[in-house]
Amino acid sequence: MSADWLLSIANLRMIPDAVLALPAKGAINFHDGPLPAYAGLNTPAWAIINGETTHGVSWHVIEGGVDEGDLLAQKMIDIAPDETAFTLNSKCYAAGMESFGAVLSQLEADQLERRPQDLTQRSYFARDQRPGGRAFWT
């Protein structure tokens, strides 16, 4: 079996290099954060903790380090004052579905609209960096 592209969507594990080498043209990742500002894991929770008013999703080529590849599409979303990590994550997946058409168009045309990330603007939230829980009893 062969494939032109590997799409990584809702995947929380690093894809082994042997698997990344299988598709003929490359691999693309859906990320639930606006890159390069929110790379890594639990980015909707971190955006709320950091007091952001907007967040977003990114589609990027898998190359280089974690969440460092060239961007193909992004979609920004508003964070409501009463937002939770769950509701923001749900908005991220909706934004991912809405923005997937832009990625699919690039794949169909066999012409990626690659935009390098400005990694000087990068924040990275590692697997062992867990957001603290908050309870609001009102």
Side-chain angles (χ1 to χ4, degrees), residues 8-137:
S8 174
I9 303 169
N11 175 34
L12 298 177
R13 294 201 163 92
M14 295 295 295
I15 300 171
D17 288 339
V19 175
L20 291 175
L22 294 174
K25 295 184 180 182
I28 296 170
N29 184 52
F30 167 74
H31 180 68
D32 62 350
L35 293 174
Y38 278 85
L41 297 174
N42 303 310
T43 62
W46 284 112
I48 292 169
I49 290 167
N50 291 337
E52 303 287 357
T53 58
T54 60
H55 193 59
V57 298
S58 305
W59 292 90
H60 68 91
V61 178
I62 299 176
E63 60 188 4
V66 176
D67 295 332
E68 289 184 354
D70 289 350
L71 298 169
L72 301 176
Q74 288 188 298
K75 182 166 178 62
M76 298 302 291
I77 50 179
D78 291 330
I79 298 176
D82 62 346
E83 202 81 66
T84 67
F86 176 77
T87 61
L88 184 54
N89 201 44
S90 297
K91 285 182 178 180
C92 285
Y93 281 98
M97 288 186 282
E98 291 170 11
S99 58
F100 181 64
V103 176
L104 189 57
S105 294
Q106 293 175 50
L107 296 177
E108 289 175 332
D110 200 24
Q111 191 167 21
L112 298 184
E113 298 169 16
R114 298 170 70 122
R115 292 174 293 137
Q117 294 187 50
D118 178 358
L119 298 179
T120 66
Q121 302 299 310
R122 178 179 163 89
S123 294
Y124 176 74
F125 300 93
R127 180 176 294 281
D128 61 350
Q129 189 177 357
R130 305 244 181 216
R134 294 184 187 176
F136 299 98
W137 302 106

